[in-house]
Amino acid sequence: MAEGTPLPIRDTSWPALHVSRHPAILHKLAILRDERTEPKKFREVVRELSWLLGYEALADVEVTPLRVQTPIEVTDAHQLGVRIGLVPILRAGLGMVDAMLELMPTAEVWHLGLFRDEKTLRPVEYYNKLPDSATVDLCMILDPMLATGGSATAAIEVLKRWGATRIKLVNLIVAPEGVDAVTAAHPDVEIYCAAVDRELNDRGYIMPGLGDAGDRQFGTGH
Ligand code: PRP
Ligand code: URA
């Protein structure tokens, strides 16, 4: 394939993985990866990428018909036919919420707090704001990074125990190890991302990645 030609959107080695190769996404991703990008710009680009990936992740959801009166005449139209719950994984997923709400203004937002224990790399749950029972048709988990897959798998398990039947995972950058882990445990969960990076380093960071997505958004990476 010629240099500069966007690659296909679906990676055939993982049927549930959708990798966007849209030029706008590629351009913004470079800004995000650049270590010189300051938190304000970083947050802005996380938001823009989230909007673009959210747009793609919504491409197959159902719409229902309705009739609308234009200034000229009544016409057939459509509205989103699914109730959507957005589940940002604290902290880094917070930066993806506003863009998703622009796309889906009627979505509910339920925060889930998970952090990775730096020694074991296992997720630790510290906050859960899910309602008592499952009230939506589609849950979208938002987290910029899928590294070992521990946090995403834990979030999916929490949602499934709670009663979620349809889950999509929206990440900015994923590692092959994380995609393997999530798709092995939950082949029904579709993953949307802007890039599949090379591998994890011995501290569980994605290479080349962008560093710590939470620290870079919130200016805490000292
Ligand atoms: C990061 C990231 C994911 C997790 C990914 O969060 O936002 O939640 O690591 O790693 P995993 O796939 O190996 O589980 P982190 O634990 O650094 O917390 P933070 O968002 O509060 O910075
Ligand atoms: N979490 C991050 O924020 N970055 C990584 O590279 C891995 C996990």
Side-chain angles (χ1 to χ4, degrees), residues 89-92 114-116 143 145-151 212 214:
I89 307 300
L90 305 179
R91 297 172 291 172
L114 294 169
F115 70 86
R116 271 195 332 178
D143 194 333
M145 308 303 273
L146 178 66
T148 64
S151 305
D212 186 303

Side-chain angles (χ1 to χ4, degrees), residues 82-101:
V82 288
R83 296 167 304 164
I84 295 174
L86 302 175
V87 185
I89 307 300
L90 305 179
R91 297 172 291 172
L94 282 176
M96 302 176 72
V97 174
D98 285 353
M100 293 288 175
L101 279 174

Side-chain angles (χ1 to χ4, degrees), residues 89-93 114-118 121-123 126 143-153 178 200 204-206 212-215 217-218 220:
I89 307 300
L90 305 179
R91 297 172 291 172
L114 294 169
F115 70 86
R116 271 195 332 178
D117 180 294
E118 288 198 0
L121 297 183
R122 294 302 306 154
Y126 62 90
D143 194 333
M145 308 303 273
L146 178 66
T148 64
S151 305
T153 305
L200 299 178
Y205 277 85
I206 299 175
D212 186 303
D215 285 344
Q217 284 182 77
F218 302 115
T220 49

Side-chain angles (χ1 to χ4, degrees), residues 193-214:
C193 70
V196 184
D197 275 7
R198 196 173 70 250
E199 60 185 333
L200 299 178
N201 68 14
D202 56 7
R203 292 174 51 225
Y205 277 85
I206 299 175
M207 296 193 291
L210 49 72
D212 186 303

Side-chain angles (χ1 to χ4, degrees), residues 132-168:
D132 292 341
S133 57
T135 50
V136 291
D137 307 306
L138 169 64
C139 288
M140 296 178 75
I141 299 175
L142 312 178
D143 194 333
M145 308 303 273
L146 178 66
T148 64
S151 305
T153 305
I156 293 165
E157 278 159 11
V158 166
L159 289 175
K160 285 189 173 174
R161 273 201 303 277
W162 171 74
T165 51
R166 190 175 177 200
I167 300 172
K168 290 176 184 255

Side-chain angles (χ1 to χ4, degrees), residues 11-220:
D11 184 324
T12 47
S13 42
W14 292 288
L17 181 69
H18 306 256
V19 188
S20 179
R21 304 298 295 168
H22 191 288
I25 288 189
L26 297 179
H27 179 88
K28 290 176 193 301
L29 195 55
I31 300 170
L32 212 57
R33 289 190 191 277
D34 191 330
E35 65 176 2
R36 296 168 301 181
T37 302
E38 298 290 339
K40 180 173 184 297
K41 181 69 178 172
F42 192 91
R43 289 193 298 273
E44 201 176 295
V45 178
V46 166
R47 179 193 172 101
E48 292 166 355
L49 279 170
S50 302
W51 198 98
L52 293 166
L53 289 172
Y55 179 80
E56 292 189 347
L58 278 182
D60 65 350
V61 305
E62 296 73 27
V63 289
T64 54
L66 81 159
R67 301 277 291 165
V68 168
Q69 172 74 58
T70 78
I72 311 298
E73 62 179 21
V74 174
T75 186
D76 291 330
H78 298 91
Q79 61 186 355
L80 270 183
V82 288
R83 296 167 304 164
I84 295 174
L86 302 175
V87 185
I89 307 300
L90 305 179
R91 297 172 291 172
L94 282 176
M96 302 176 72
V97 174
D98 285 353
M100 293 288 175
L101 279 174
E102 278 170 19
L103 276 170
M104 307 158 235
T106 57
E108 297 179 20
V109 183
W110 306 315
H111 298 89
L112 207 52
L114 294 169
F115 70 86
R116 271 195 332 178
D117 180 294
E118 288 198 0
K119 289 206 175 67
T120 63
L121 297 183
R122 294 302 306 154
V124 180
E125 185 178 335
Y126 62 90
Y127 190 73
N128 180 331
K129 205 63 186 163
L130 290 176
D132 292 341
S133 57
T135 50
V136 291
D137 307 306
L138 169 64
C139 288
M140 296 178 75
I141 299 175
L142 312 178
D143 194 333
M145 308 303 273
L146 178 66
T148 64
S151 305
T153 305
I156 293 165
E157 278 159 11
V158 166
L159 289 175
K160 285 189 173 174
R161 273 201 303 277
W162 171 74
T165 51
R166 190 175 177 200
I167 300 172
K168 290 176 184 255
L169 175 61
V170 186
N171 303 117
L172 302 185
I173 298 180
V174 303
E177 294 90 331
V179 183
D180 280 342
V182 170
T183 54
H186 301 284
D188 54 309
V189 173
E190 303 269 321
I191 305 171
Y192 296 82
C193 70
V196 184
D197 275 7
R198 196 173 70 250
E199 60 185 333
L200 299 178
N201 68 14
D202 56 7
R203 292 174 51 225
Y205 277 85
I206 299 175
M207 296 193 291
L210 49 72
D212 186 303
D215 285 344
R216 293 204 59 194
Q217 284 182 77
F218 302 115
T220 49

